[in-house]
């Protein structure tokens, strides 16, 4: 292993955190406002949109592990002087910015079939560029660190970046919609352009401030030794990785049902779409506190145990909030704080999962003798995409099932009582169910015990001694 012996610096941590911040500046809007953009601005039928979302996410599910495996094979064949992952960051950045702006601009200029076709193509291109950036960004953690302490530091940095990256567009976008009009297509184009340009700057910061300090030079000099089918053995042998994949499916389903329909909750149930921006302000200090105290709690009770407890608390809070909505009229600000607390506890598993992915990569190398960060991270992203597909598509279909009337919403009317109840079920109760699924994955499937960690440490030490 070729390793830069300099300590992990503040520059490295900030640079790594900028990666998720950059990605979330665009991707965050896909989970919160893209559905409303399609249904209310482009007037896409909910059944057609659900079908498109399924197709898009199926492609993404295939694209993610393929991109990861491609990076593993290319590095095994030809070592790039800038590292295994960082060159891909520079290639992806300008394409990511341009395709995101096009997605929120070009379809508004067309109508009918042409509009749907443009929407389909722009989304495919954006997601391909996002994958080209996201897979190396996530895989970079293992190339920058080789100890639990460093991985925890980088996971925390990524967590802070994710928080800021989700908060910024969630604050910027509602303000722009409020200023220029929620029903004005130009509002969405302006908001997307602003967020994309800011994200592009952070993408470059991520590239220039990071460094691949622990690239395994001799992981395979023969590219044929890295196969696309290797991931099948990972699922068969690596229970810890299987647990993470199940977690990714469940937690992303929970996230994306709530986020896809969150604007409907604030606009149609609570009567104030601008309050969505205030919700992000409430979430920020909660998330910062979570990141600050999580490592200390994990040290006392264990990371997996802390994640499980956070998921249970989140589920209980969501169920309690739903009961309150069924029994009385909940004040919008009470809902905002209560839902933010539930989301905060759920986010423990999301913010702290990256170090566990690194551990699953180490475990896979211990089991198979191959170190394929790109393939494993790409496949983990595949599972998260499956959760996003379920969350996005099912949420959009459910809008049609409960009878949501976009024409009535655009005219400033009030949805029926049945529709409002349906939105409450989708935004508050459903996330609780999938939180419990994530809890079960860590409780019953994850299998890296202290004894296994000792064997992994001995394996790593023996490998270093041979180099």
């Amino acid at each position: 292993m070729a390793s830069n012996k300099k300590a992990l610096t503040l520059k490295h941590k900030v640079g790594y955190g900028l990666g998720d911040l950059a990605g979330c500046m665009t991707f965050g809007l896909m989970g919160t406002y893209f559905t409303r953009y399609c249904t209310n601005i482009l007037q896409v039928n909910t059944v057609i949109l659900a079908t498109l979302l399924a197709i898009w996410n199926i492609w993404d599910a295939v694209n993610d592990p393929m991109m990861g495996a491609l990076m593993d094979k290319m590095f095994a064949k030809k070592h790039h002087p800038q590292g295994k992952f960082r060159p891909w960051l520079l290639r992806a950045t300008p394409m990511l910015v341009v395709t995101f702006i096009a997605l929120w601009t070009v379809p508004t200029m067309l109508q009918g079939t042409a509009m749907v076709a443009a929407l389909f193509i722009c989304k495919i291109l954006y997601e391909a560029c996002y994958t080209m950036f996201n897979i190396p960004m996530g895989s970079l953690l293992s190339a920058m660190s080789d100890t639990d302490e460093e991985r925890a530091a980088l996971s925390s940095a990524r967590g802070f970046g994710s928080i800021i990256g989700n908060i910024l567009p969630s604050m910027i976008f509602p303000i722009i919609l409020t200023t220029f009009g929620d029903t004005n297509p130009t509002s969405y184009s302006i908001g997307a352009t602003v967020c994309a340009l800011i994200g592009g700057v952070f993408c470059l910061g991520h590239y220039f401030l990071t460094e691949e300090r622990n690239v395994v030079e001799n992981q395979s000099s023969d590219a044929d030794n890295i196969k696309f089918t290797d991931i099948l053995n990972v699922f068969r042998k690596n229970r810890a990785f299987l647990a993470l994949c199940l977690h990714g499916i469940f937690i992303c389903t929970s996230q994306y049902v709530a986020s896809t329909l969150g604007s409907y909750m604030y606009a149609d149930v609570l009567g104030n779409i601008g309050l969505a921006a205030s919700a992000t302000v409430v979430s920020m200090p909660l998330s910062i506190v979570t990141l600050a105290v999580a490592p200390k709690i994990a040290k006392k009770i264990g990371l997996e145990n802390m994640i499980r407890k956070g998921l249970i608390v989140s589920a209980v809070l969501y169920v309690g909030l739903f009961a309150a909505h069924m029994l009385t009229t909940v004040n919008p600000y009470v809902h905002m704080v209560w839902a933010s607390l539930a989301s905060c506890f759920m986010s423990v598993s999301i913010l702290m999962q990256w170090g566990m992915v690194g551990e699953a990569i180490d475990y896979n190398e211990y089991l198979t003798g191959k170190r394929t960060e790109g393939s494993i991270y790409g496949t983990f992203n595949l599972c998260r995409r499956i959760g996003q597909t379920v969350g996005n598509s099912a949420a959009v279909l459910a809008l049609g099932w409960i009878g949501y009337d976009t024409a009535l919403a655009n005219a400033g009317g009030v949805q029926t009582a049945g529709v409002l109840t349906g939105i409450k079920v989708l935004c508050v109760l459903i996330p609780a169910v999938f939180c419990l699924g994530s809890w079960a994955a860590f409780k019953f499937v994850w299998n890296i015990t202290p004894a296994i960690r000792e064997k992994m440490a001995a394996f790593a030490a023996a490998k270093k001694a041979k180099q």
Side-chain angles (χ1 to χ4, degrees):
M1 174 182 293
S3 178
N4 188 328
K5 298 301 182 181
K6 294 185 295 182
L8 193 69
T9 66
L10 178 61
K11 183 191 80 170
H12 293 133
K13 297 173 187 176
V14 171
Y16 190 69
L18 288 179
D20 223 21
L21 196 166
C24 289
M25 284 301 302
T26 60
F27 196 73
L29 293 178
M30 301 305 295
T32 52
Y33 288 97
F34 183 68
T35 298
R36 193 172 187 86
Y37 165 66
C38 291
T39 58
N40 291 29
I41 299 300
L42 301 180
Q43 297 291 307
V44 179
N45 178 274
T46 55
V47 174
I48 293 176
L49 181 57
T51 303
L52 290 175
L53 286 169
I55 295 171
W56 287 327
N57 283 289
I58 288 171
W59 162 244
D60 292 335
V62 174
N63 188 37
D64 285 350
M66 286 179 61
M67 177 61 69
L70 177 63
M71 287 186 290
D72 287 332
K73 287 182 70 67
M74 286 189 66
F75 186 75
K77 183 177 181 179
K78 183 179 180 181
H79 295 289
H80 195 287
Q82 294 299 318
K84 183 176 183 179
F85 304 112
R86 291 178 65 250
W88 293 91
L89 301 174
L90 200 58
R91 295 167 188 154
T93 295
M95 294 186 289
L96 180 62
V97 172
V98 171
T99 55
F100 187 73
I101 294 173
L103 175 60
W104 294 76
T105 304
V106 175
T108 65
M109 303 174 184
L110 304 169
Q111 293 181 342
T113 303
M115 179 272 292
V116 174
L119 178 66
F120 178 81
I121 294 171
C122 288
K123 179 72 157 57
I124 286 286
L125 292 175
Y126 163 72
E127 292 291 354
C129 295
Y130 179 80
T131 296
M132 190 183 293
F133 178 82
N134 181 257
I135 298 301
M137 183 275 293
S139 303
L140 193 58
L141 184 144
S142 293
M144 291 181 67
S145 60
D146 59 2
T147 67
D148 289 342
E149 182 180 358
E150 288 182 343
R151 286 174 180 166
L154 292 177
S155 294
S156 180
R158 177 170 181 170
F160 279 111
S162 177
I163 291 170
I164 298 171
N166 279 292
I167 285 174
L168 283 179
S170 295
M171 292 177 65
I172 293 170
F173 213 75
I175 292 172
I176 291 176
L177 293 186
T178 302
T179 302
F180 295 97
D182 180 40
T183 60
N184 183 359
T186 304
S187 300
Y188 290 80
S189 299
I190 293 173
T193 300
V194 171
C195 291
L197 292 175
I198 294 173
V201 173
F202 289 134
C203 285
L204 294 176
H206 176 60
Y207 171 79
F208 286 110
L209 296 179
T210 53
E211 177 185 4
E212 296 190 30
R213 303 162 59 248
N214 300 296
V215 178
V216 182
E217 297 286 3
N218 65 342
Q219 62 180 340
S220 175
S221 58
D222 182 5
D224 293 334
N225 191 44
I226 306 296
K227 300 181 176 66
F228 287 100
T229 55
D230 285 343
I231 199 62
L232 299 178
N233 285 329
V234 176
F235 280 114
R236 184 169 58 87
K237 296 181 178 181
N238 193 333
R239 273 185 58 186
F241 182 65
L242 178 59
L244 281 169
C245 288
L246 291 172
H247 153 72
I249 292 172
F250 287 126
I251 210 66
C252 283
T253 300
S254 176
Q255 269 188 298
Y256 279 83
V257 167
S259 63
T260 296
L261 301 179
S263 61
Y264 297 86
M265 185 72 189
Y266 281 102
D268 297 290
V269 176
L270 301 175
N272 186 352
I273 193 171
L275 197 59
S278 299
T280 63
V281 175
V282 172
S283 298
M284 181 166 61
L286 291 175
S287 298
I288 291 173
V289 170
T290 299
L291 283 173
V293 303
K296 297 179 181 178
I297 297 175
K299 186 176 181 180
K300 291 184 178 180
I301 67 175
L303 183 57
E304 303 97 300
N305 190 29
M306 180 187 70
I307 287 175
R308 289 197 301 267
K309 291 183 183 300
L311 289 167
I312 286 292
V313 172
S314 177
V316 170
L317 285 171
Y318 273 125
V319 170
L321 179 56
F322 178 74
H325 273 292
M326 292 298 97
L327 296 174
T328 185
T329 300
V330 177
N331 180 278
Y333 291 93
V334 171
H335 170 90
M336 178 181 66
V337 174
W338 198 332
S340 296
L341 283 171
S343 177
C344 177
F345 279 100
M346 180 179 71
S347 70
V348 171
S349 66
I350 301 168
L351 297 172
M352 302 307 292
Q353 67 188 348
W354 309 113
M356 297 177 73
V357 173
E359 188 169 35
I361 290 171
D362 289 346
Y363 185 44
N364 194 67
E365 185 180 17
Y366 165 71
L367 293 172
T368 68
K370 296 181 181 181
R371 188 168 187 87
T372 53
E373 302 102 320
S375 297
I376 290 178
Y377 185 83
T379 304
F380 177 59
N381 248 27
L382 178 154
C383 295
R384 297 175 69 229
R385 295 285 194 176
I386 292 173
Q388 292 169 19
T389 301
V390 173
N392 282 153
S393 297
V396 171
L397 279 174
L399 274 181
W401 293 338
I402 65 176
Y404 184 81
D405 189 337
T406 56
L408 182 64
N410 287 337
V414 178
Q415 302 291 325
T416 66
V419 170
L420 297 180
T421 298
I423 293 174
K424 294 172 186 177
V425 170
L426 293 168
C427 292
V428 183
L429 184 59
I430 293 300
V433 174
F434 287 99
C435 273
L436 291 175
S438 180
W439 169 85
F442 286 115
K443 175 67 175 178
F444 300 110
V445 184
W446 179 270
N447 71 325
I448 298 182
T449 63
I452 290 178
R453 288 190 179 96
E454 289 181 4
K455 293 179 181 179
M456 289 166 57
F459 171 82
K463 184 174 179 178
K464 285 184 178 181
K466 294 179 182 180
Q467 296 173 358

